[in-house]
Amino acid sequence: MATVTEKPERWVVRKPAVTSPGGVVATQHQSASEVGAQVLADGGNAVDAAIATSLALAAVEPWMSGLGGGGYMLVRTAGEDRTWAVSFGMVAPGALEPADYPLTGEEGADMFGWPAVEEDRNMRGPLAVAVPGQVAGLGTAHARFGSWSWADLVAPACVLAQRGMEVDWHATLAIAASAPELAQDSDSAATYLAGGFPQATPWTGDAPRIRLGRLADTLRWLAAAGPADFYTGEIAAAIAADMVALGGRLSATDLADYEAQVEEVAPVSYRGSRVWAAPGLTAGPTLIDVLSRLATSLDPGAAPDGETYAAYAEALQAASAARLRGMGAGSDADRASCTSHLGVADREGTVVTLTQTLLSPFGAKVMLPETGILLNNGIMWFDPRPGRPNSIAPGKRPLSNMCPTVVELADGRRAGLGASGGRRILPAVAQLLSFLADFGMSPDDAAHCPRINVDGPDLVEADARLAAEALAVLEARFALGVRPHGVHPSSYACPNAVVWDPESGTATGIAHVMSPNACVGAP
């Protein structure tokens, strides 16, 4: 029998898609979606809306992403047959010392299954911090594709940060889950654990708000000085000084040397659709591997059935194994180099899909006192074992699981897909893409269709809502675990999708169904 790890939840949750002729913005937080929708309403393009939305998320959902993180963006521009990737992942500091991360001999507690490092130095604290690329990536996208001024795009985030983050029940849950680690950093504790405890909304009444250190001041300065200031100006000097005081390796030189990368992405064909996946050290190459397997193993019917999900599981397991073999064998793809995803489609048909992250919830749990910036724990992306392609090393880019994807379907619809959720991202994006391309689903139906999760070579996890026939097929062929798709704990990735239809001239968005805050905004 399949292992049911939790009692199935007895509610049915639906979150309707939003369609608009003026474009849509899908994010994991309503306030950020509203910011992007207002940019579209005021004439901004999809990249303008994505930049403003990305910055707003730092003020309303700081445990997921922010100025101290990094990410990847795909831009499929209207009116031309070209798609661009803006890569701004984190990089290990140049002065990093692999000897600072000795193994304990125990199993680790991180999301990637690495062996444990002494004092969890690769997971939290100043030695876990990699060079953040978020601001460089947004600045590069703005210079290449934006139509508004930088200051105008930062302005909404300044307003939100000045107002203070609303601590609704979902925020309280996020803070409480990380409270022991947040308590170890004085500025994080002072911000998120006032009085020693997470704040909570009263049983009746308004949610409290908390000021995120000096983040509002930093955003105002960034708006006026421009994105380069984060790397070579006063913000950079403040970051470097705080890191020296904390004992971290991130330096002014690391910041000054950082550059985001822009490259054109070539499509691959899949059943009459064209797919553009994030290149390089992302899950994009593995997504292409999954699709190449499904092209021969999946025989789509009228709707997904047990054989469909078995084909998904086999393709995901095989591609995952190939990815891990590549890491072990030193392939070029893996050698170089808690999350939020947003998608935007504007009235002209430009589609942006952007995944950004601090990696773990609240990143390294380090808030810089001079700027209020929460820093990533990007060093956790590296394998702490020496002598491997993805091992910790100075100046190195780690392998990540982010998978922003653009697909032009055979019927002409243009979609931007992506998700948050670590290694669960790839399975979610692959299945959403298949729901749209293989079964002709609407965004609404695709978002509500049950999924499986396969993020390793062994266990297949299945949504408890799957039909008994599908579960029986999976149980006969795989080690199967059945989990509900709930709010917390989150057993599956948190995807969203935007789809532009050239025939109707409208855009449709769907946000992560099980999130209480995920929302689609429209002008």
Side-chain angles (χ1 to χ4, degrees), residues 82-125:
R82 308 183 80 177
T83 299
W84 304 90
V86 184
S87 301
F88 47 100
M90 283 84 90
V91 180
L96 179 144
E97 292 285 351
D100 286 339
Y101 308 91
L103 301 180
T104 66
E106 304 292 330
E107 291 186 5
D110 65 85
M111 68 182 73
F112 302 125
W114 304 134
V117 169
E118 187 174 308
E119 299 174 344
D120 290 332
R121 295 174 188 170
N122 61 329
M123 294 172 57
R124 62 175 181 264

Side-chain angles (χ1 to χ4, degrees), residues 233-466:
E234 293 195 20
I235 296 176
I239 293 171
D242 279 345
M243 287 303 293
V244 169
L246 291 168
R249 300 290 188 179
L250 176 62
S251 70
T253 300
D254 293 320
L255 292 168
D257 289 345
Y258 187 90
E259 291 184 358
Q261 301 167 347
V262 181
E263 61 183 293
E264 188 169 2
V265 183
V268 298
S269 296
Y270 177 71
R271 297 189 195 275
S273 299
R274 293 193 297 167
V275 179
W276 293 264
L281 297 174
T282 69
T286 309
L287 172 66
I288 299 304
D289 188 0
V290 171
L291 296 178
S292 69
R293 298 172 191 274
L294 290 177
T296 57
S297 66
L298 177 62
D299 184 15
D305 58 13
E307 292 300 323
T308 302
Y309 288 101
Y312 290 158
E314 290 168 354
L316 288 163
Q317 282 189 337
S320 175
R323 179 179 170 96
L324 294 175
R325 283 197 303 271
M327 288 175 64
S331 71
D332 289 341
D334 288 333
R335 183 186 64 212
S337 230
C338 186
T339 303
S340 192
H341 181 80
L342 66 95
V344 184
D346 66 21
R347 62 180 60 81
E348 303 297 330
T350 292
V351 168
V352 176
T353 176
L354 165 60
T355 310
Q356 57 188 46
T357 188
L358 292 177
L359 188 47
S360 292
F362 296 95
K365 280 76 174 179
V366 173
M367 175 182 274
L368 297 181
E370 291 300 314
T371 60
I373 295 172
L374 267 173
L375 289 174
N376 69 81
N377 61 336
I379 301 305
M380 193 178 77
W381 258 324
F382 292 107
D383 189 336
R385 295 167 292 190
R388 296 173 181 250
N390 195 42
S391 294
I392 296 173
K396 188 175 179 181
R397 293 179 182 267
L399 186 71
S400 81
N401 302 289
M402 290 180 277
C403 196
T405 303
V406 172
V407 55
E408 286 194 351
L409 301 161
D411 62 11
R413 291 179 297 164
R414 176 181 294 178
L417 310 175
S420 64
R423 285 183 176 172
R424 297 166 177 165
I425 292 173
L426 169 64
V429 173
Q431 288 169 87
L432 280 178
L433 194 158
S434 177
F435 294 159
L436 295 170
D438 293 322
F439 298 97
M441 289 188 190
S442 68
D444 193 308
D445 289 341
H448 289 89
C449 190
R451 303 190 309 272
I452 62 171
N453 180 59
V454 181
D455 58 16
D458 301 319
L459 183 68
V460 173
E461 297 170 315
D463 190 328
R465 297 175 300 154
L466 276 175

